Amino acid sequence: MNSPYSIDTIFKNECIQSPVTITHINNKQISGVLCDFSPATNVITLTQTSSPSNTIAIDLINLKTMQCTTEKSWCDLIANEHANFLETDHSKPFSITFLDQSTLSGEYFGALSDNQALHVFLALDSTHYRYAYVPHSVIKQHDLEPSQPIDETSDSNPESIDSEDVVKTINNAKHLELALSQQKTMPQLRLGEILISEQLINEEELEAALEEQTSKRHIPLGQILVSRHLVTTDQIQRALAKKLGIPLINIKNFQILPETIQLVPEELIFKHKIMPLCSFDNKLAIALENPLNFDALEDLRFHTGKFIEPVMATEKDIENAIQMYYSSASNALDSIYDEAEEPEADFDDTQLSRDEEQVADNIVVKLINKIILDAHRQGVSDIHIEPAPGKEKVMVRFRKDGTLIKYHEFPAQYRLAIISRIKIMAKLDISEKRKPQDGKIQFRQYSSTNIELRVATLPTTGDTEDIVMRLLASNKPVPIDKLGLSSKNYDDLLTAIANPYGLFLVCGPTGSGKTTTLHSVLGQLNTTEKKIWTAEDPVEITQRGLRQVQVNPKIGLDFSSAMRAFLRADPDIIMVGEMRDQETSSMAIEASLTGHMVLSTLHTNSAVESITRLLDMGMDPFNFADALLGILSQRLAKSLCPDCKTAYTPNDDELRHLASEYQATRLDNCDDQAQKDSLINQQINEWLLNYGNKDKAIRLYSAQGCGSCNNTGYLGRIGLHELLIATDGIKHRIISHKNNAEIKELALEQGMKTIKQDGIDKILQGLTDYSKVIAVSPK
């Protein structure tokens, strides 16, 4: 009898809103309450026991096991009318061996198998069980005897998920290698047989397509079936993935290494429309649209001498990858890579100069395009081109998540051509080498990818020039609830900007996300009832509904002149990119006092310091205090990689150190040691209440390193915030010319948290660690 159970209903019945323990494929464990499971995306969401306010998403490809920790009655389960797939009333032994050679063994009452996992009901005693979910992708062998497979198409279960919808999409080399290690042995099936077995076509339709193919031998059968509108390419690929166990991958997210590209001759790439992805254990993973193209597989095996692992990708993805890596100029890039690895030639500067002049333009054009596209794909913020004098190589580095990493080195003879090409793209004077220049590149003029770069050149020693290119942020604003604000800061910020007029400032050093935050605020305020003008340098983010102006000091259009123009253009809200001088600051305060909301930024270290900076510019304390709504100071700290971060229990010394850093301001103003100890103990007790687990212990996380984070232990960045709200008390202290310490003291009493305090809160939530918080916190 077919069971109405599906993977979805098992999760809901056994796990949803229940305490579970997740074991990653790297054997790290996370405990929490399972919130949701999405079969279509292979993602589960979990509220961590160590941080109840922190919900994390876990990709099932990273999962080794998930076990419910709640004991349930076996008698109740088998009495359920929907559990007729479980016929045994006694336990029996089992053993599962994983790919890493570890094992899971014991007694079980029953098990089920679907195309994703084993569902095992572990026996705790003669009457109680726990449910365990074990993906097939991590199992080497097992001696379980599952009941009949789950019927995922049963009409009695409207919520069942079609098996086509749970085909795994692999998007990086680590996942691909794991999936291939679990792949079924490819049976000798033909495409037509598979499509008929999946009831996508019938015998007559297949015969007609095969007959057409006899006169069109160069056209694959799948393409003929698609042209006859019998199936879609997506249906063919999913049927093959289901029947043969071949992964369906996303090439765009792969970091394909040059050495992999060089394994396959270009003529084979274009002949078979394939893309090499990665090489391991004398195997070569190849993406192609039809994994049953045995001619292509045999051709590749013969030319590479490797065992070929076919995986599937869409035709468009493959074509885009071929264009990127195998265009005629890409071969020239390969020669550049080869030269960069060769020993340096012993030639003089005269020879070097001649070599520089002879560098082919088309090679350098493709080289610069590739550097920019690679930076864009990797989420880089800045590209640093660093030529060295003489015959030393040209270093290219990327800044990612705030840290510079080496991208590549190129031979010295490409130095002049690289600099000249970038200057031409940025519309700069290629003959001017003695002074800095600034420009901008609209990359969509050179590629289908819409990227904007801000370019700065600087003369350096040895008659060379450095170039730094900043990739401007995404042209879409980040929703304000995605900025990583604490609950209190989020509510206070929304309250402050709900005022019809006033001055709101965002401060922090360069690269701290000020522009992103301002546009998030504007996105919140942007309605058809409001006229919003912005003056920016440059315009990094565009929003429909905003009237945005790019300042140009060369023609006299600076922030102050833009402000004057805005005030004559019936604004409701004005955003000024930066309050750089007294005139702009005075006009901003005046505008905010005359019925306008004004937003701007300052390059200051803290919210309180911004007050002093503006008063030092000559702002009238009465007008400034009257206009001010609030000041948000922020930093970006590296966040822990969710795939490999490891939980641990801090010792008393570490907790007390965190607490003393958290209460540093109050401790500095306290001379009594007993009172200091009391403050620290109170803080630890508060954390135990807010962040402690069921054992009344605090769990922190440390960086480890895995494939997802390039073995750094960190992936992405999170915002740390300090929000000062201009209460009546704060306004009074500004008017009274109180110093920074006195204003800060009152702000803290009224609930403001410093950047360091906000960072420590996020340490306790498992988002980052102490070293990264201290690295960006104001001293």
Side-chain angles (χ1 to χ4, degrees):
M1 180 184 295
N2 284 336
S3 162
Y5 266 43
S6 70
I7 183 174
D8 191 22
T9 55
I10 288 182
F11 263 82
K12 287 181 177 177
N13 288 3
E14 297 292 336
C15 292
I16 298 297
Q17 302 303 322
S18 298
V20 297
T21 297
I22 301 283
T23 303
H24 281 255
I25 55 176
N26 61 5
N27 292 317
K28 305 302 181 185
Q29 290 190 331
I30 298 176
S31 296
V33 174
L34 191 70
C35 300
D36 194 15
F37 167 65
S38 174
T41 59
N42 290 327
V43 170
I44 58 178
T45 55
L46 185 78
T47 299
Q48 291 179 264
T49 303
S50 60
S51 179
S53 62
N54 184 29
T55 299
I56 61 173
I58 299 173
D59 192 329
L60 288 184
I61 196 66
N62 292 320
L63 190 71
K64 185 174 183 180
T65 64
M66 182 180 70
Q67 295 189 36
C68 274
T69 56
T70 302
E71 297 184 8
K72 293 188 177 182
S73 168
W74 179 249
C75 297
D76 290 344
L77 181 64
I78 60 175
N80 189 311
E81 61 177 341
H82 297 308
N84 52 13
F85 54 84
L86 298 169
E87 300 171 354
T88 182
D89 58 357
H90 62 276
S91 64
K92 48 189 175 182
F94 79 96
S95 177
I96 297 174
T97 302
F98 296 99
L99 294 176
D100 63 3
Q101 303 303 320
S102 62
T103 60
L104 173 66
S105 59
E107 299 276 323
Y108 78 113
F109 282 116
L112 290 166
S113 177
D114 62 18
N115 67 339
Q116 279 197 320
L118 287 175
H119 306 266
V120 187
F121 297 85
L122 305 173
L124 301 178
D125 53 36
S126 60
T127 58
H128 291 87
Y129 75 95
R130 284 180 181 162
Y131 166 76
Y133 174 91
V134 187
H136 291 305
S137 60
V138 298
I139 299 174
K140 183 176 182 180
Q141 62 184 33
H142 66 81
D143 60 4
L144 288 156
E145 299 176 7
S147 303
Q148 69 274 8
I150 299 172
D151 180 10
E152 299 192 53
T153 59
S154 171
D155 293 337
S156 61
N157 177 24
E159 293 184 345
S160 65
I161 303 300
D162 193 308
S163 59
E164 288 185 1
D165 292 331
V166 293
V167 175
K168 290 192 273 296
T169 298
I170 312 299
N171 58 20
N172 65 48
K174 179 191 74 172
H175 293 172
L176 178 57
E177 186 173 349
L178 178 62
L180 289 173
S181 68
Q182 180 59 30
Q183 180 181 315
K184 302 174 187 176
T185 301
M186 183 184 293
Q188 293 297 315
L189 296 177
R190 296 180 180 271
L191 176 61
E193 296 172 350
I194 291 174
L195 297 179
I196 289 175
S197 70
E198 291 298 302
Q199 299 181 345
L200 292 172
I201 61 173
N202 56 40
E203 293 279 1
E204 291 76 15
E205 290 167 336
L206 174 60
E207 288 297 329
L210 289 172
E211 184 176 349
E212 179 180 342
Q213 193 184 31
T214 59
S215 60
K216 300 177 180 178
R217 302 293 298 178
H218 64 287
I219 300 179
L221 175 62
Q223 187 173 333
I224 292 175
L225 292 169
V226 171
S227 68
R228 285 172 165 257
H229 305 290
L230 297 174
V231 290
T232 65
T233 301
D234 182 66
Q235 285 177 317
I236 291 176
Q237 288 193 318
R238 289 185 175 274
L240 293 173
K242 176 182 176 183
K243 208 72 175 177
L244 305 179
I246 297 176
L248 180 61
I249 63 94
N250 183 349
I251 299 180
K252 290 182 290 187
N253 290 346
F254 262 85
Q255 179 65 38
I256 303 175
L257 299 176
E259 52 264 32
T260 305
I261 299 298
Q262 295 164 1
L263 290 173
V264 182
E266 181 178 354
E267 58 269 21
L268 293 185
I269 296 296
F270 287 98
K271 176 183 177 182
H272 298 299
K273 292 185 179 180
I274 56 177
M275 190 66 206
L277 299 174
C278 58
S279 178
F280 55 91
D281 299 335
N282 201 37
K283 298 177 182 178
L284 179 63
I286 295 287
L288 65 170
E289 187 179 6
N290 177 15
L292 297 181
N293 186 343
F294 296 108
D295 290 341
L297 300 180
E298 180 59 25
D299 213 357
L300 286 166
R301 186 198 63 76
F302 176 78
H303 280 87
T304 64
K306 292 180 177 290
F307 181 81
I308 304 301
E309 292 275 18
V311 302
M312 288 186 293
T314 65
E315 180 182 16
K316 183 177 179 181
D317 274 1
I318 293 172
E319 288 178 351
N320 288 341
I322 291 173
Q323 183 180 5
M324 169 62 62
Y325 293 99
Y326 282 95
S327 64
S328 58
S330 288
N331 287 336
L333 290 185
D334 288 340
S335 69
I336 293 175
Y337 292 138
D338 292 341
E339 287 187 68
E341 299 303 324
E342 292 176 359
E344 295 181 0
D346 186 15
F347 49 75
D348 58 25
D349 291 342
T350 303
Q351 176 65 40
L352 176 59
S353 179
R354 288 198 297 270
D355 289 344
E356 286 182 318
E357 292 174 358
Q358 293 171 4
V359 171
D361 288 342
N362 66 325
I363 297 177
V364 177
V365 168
K366 290 293 183 178
L367 170 61
I368 300 303
N369 289 356
K370 179 168 176 54
I371 291 172
I372 293 172
L373 288 170
D374 282 351
H376 176 64
R377 280 196 300 268
Q378 295 178 31
V380 169
S381 63
D382 299 89
I383 303 169
H384 291 248
I385 312 290
E386 301 170 336
K391 59 185 180 181
E392 295 184 40
K393 295 176 181 177
V394 179
M395 172 74 77
V396 178
R397 295 194 290 171
F398 288 168
R399 186 176 296 279
K400 184 176 181 181
D401 294 337
T403 300
L404 278 173
I405 56 175
K406 178 181 175 181
Y407 170 72
H408 219 289
E409 288 183 320
F410 299 99
Q413 56 263 41
Y414 289 87
R415 175 179 59 207
L416 181 59
I418 289 173
I419 294 172
S420 297
R421 174 59 186 169
I422 294 173
K423 283 185 172 181
I424 290 170
M425 295 172 74
K427 298 178 173 58
L428 300 178
D429 184 355
I430 63 172
S431 65
E432 178 57 72
K433 302 178 181 179
R434 299 169 300 172
K435 61 182 182 181
Q437 298 186 70
D438 295 316
K440 184 183 294 185
I441 296 174
Q442 299 289 350
F443 193 62
R444 62 177 174 269
Q445 298 176 9
Y446 311 98
S447 168
S448 59
T449 306
N450 187 11
I451 309 171
E452 188 174 340
L453 301 99
R454 190 167 58 197
V455 180
T457 71
L458 295 95
T460 51
T461 57
D463 195 29
T464 62
E465 290 177 276
D466 273 32
I467 294 179
V468 178
M469 296 185 285
R470 166 154 291 191
L471 282 74
L472 300 184
S474 167
N475 58 6
K476 293 183 180 180
V478 177
I480 199 166
D481 60 349
K482 302 297 184 184
L483 290 176
L485 294 158
S486 67
S487 297
K488 183 180 186 306
N489 283 343
Y490 177 73
D491 293 339
D492 287 349
L493 175 59
L494 291 185
T495 301
I497 63 175
N499 284 279
Y501 56 87
L503 176 66
F504 187 85
L505 301 173
V506 179
C507 66
T510 300
S512 59
K514 299 186 296 298
T515 300
T516 299
T517 297
L518 274 185
H519 271 277
S520 297
V521 171
L522 288 174
Q524 183 74 15
L525 300 174
N526 188 6
T527 64
T528 55
E529 292 80 21
K530 292 186 174 72
K531 181 63 176 256
I532 303 177
W533 287 99
T534 76
E536 303 171 70
D537 183 21
V539 176
E540 299 184 33
I541 302 172
T542 58
Q543 293 191 54
R544 184 178 179 86
L546 303 190
R547 310 313 300 159
Q548 297 176 261
V549 174
Q550 168 78 55
V551 301
N552 187 352
K554 293 179 181 178
I555 62 172
L557 180 58
D558 55 16
F559 285 126
S560 59
S561 59
M563 278 283 294
R564 282 192 295 271
F566 291 166
L567 291 173
R568 296 191 297 269
D570 189 28
D572 293 300
I573 299 170
I574 296 171
M575 191 271 268
V576 183
E578 186 181 346
M579 294 173 67
R580 294 177 178 172
D581 52 50
Q582 181 180 5
E583 184 179 8
T584 306
S585 302
S586 297
M587 293 182 67
I589 291 172
E590 180 182 345
S592 63
L593 291 172
T594 55
H596 307 93
M597 168 72 79
V598 180
L599 309 172
S600 191
T601 71
L602 278 173
H603 285 280
T604 51
N605 284 325
S606 67
V608 174
E609 188 179 313
S610 300
I611 295 172
T612 307
R613 174 72 60 84
L614 289 171
L615 293 178
D616 288 344
M617 284 185 183
M619 300 302 102
D620 180 81
F622 290 92
N623 288 340
F624 174 51
D626 194 18
L628 186 63
L629 297 172
I631 304 173
L632 179 68
S633 178
Q634 65 181 53
R635 299 289 190 278
L636 294 176
K638 289 190 176 184
S639 53
L640 291 166
C641 173
D643 289 343
C644 63
K645 65 181 183 181
T646 302
Y648 71 94
T649 301
N651 58 37
D652 290 344
D653 288 342
E654 185 174 357
L655 267 184
R656 292 186 68 81
H657 177 68
L658 273 182
S660 63
E661 288 290 304
Y662 197 88
Q663 293 289 356
T665 302
R666 295 177 67 184
L667 293 174
D668 288 343
N669 297 326
C670 178
D671 295 327
D672 183 74
Q673 186 59 46
Q675 190 175 355
K676 288 183 178 182
D677 291 340
S678 177
L679 282 172
I680 291 172
N681 290 333
Q682 287 176 20
Q683 187 60 64
I684 293 174
N685 289 333
E686 182 181 328
W687 287 343
L688 286 169
L689 183 64
N690 294 331
Y691 302 108
N693 58 23
K694 62 182 180 180
D695 298 322
K696 295 184 178 180
I698 290 174
R699 302 282 279 172
L700 302 182
Y701 289 82
S702 62
Q704 296 298 309
C706 65
S708 299
C709 59
N710 292 324
N711 293 314
T712 64
Y714 301 94
L715 187 64
R717 291 188 289 177
I718 56 171
L720 310 183
H721 304 96
E722 173 181 298
L723 178 58
L724 183 149
I725 296 298
T727 62
D728 290 341
I730 296 295
K731 291 175 183 286
H732 178 73
R733 294 203 174 188
I734 294 173
I735 294 170
S736 303
H737 297 276
K738 299 296 185 182
N739 59 34
N740 283 357
E742 292 172 301
I743 296 174
K744 181 179 179 180
E745 180 184 19
L746 178 60
L748 291 173
E749 289 177 3
Q750 294 179 345
M752 182 187 84
K753 288 189 176 181
T754 65
I755 286 174
K756 185 188 292 184
Q757 288 176 322
D758 191 49
I760 293 175
D761 284 338
K762 285 164 181 171
I763 292 172
L764 294 164
Q765 293 167 21
L767 302 177
T768 187
D769 60 25
Y770 181 74
S771 66
K772 299 308 174 187
V773 170
I774 291 301
V776 299
S777 296
K779 301 299 186 282

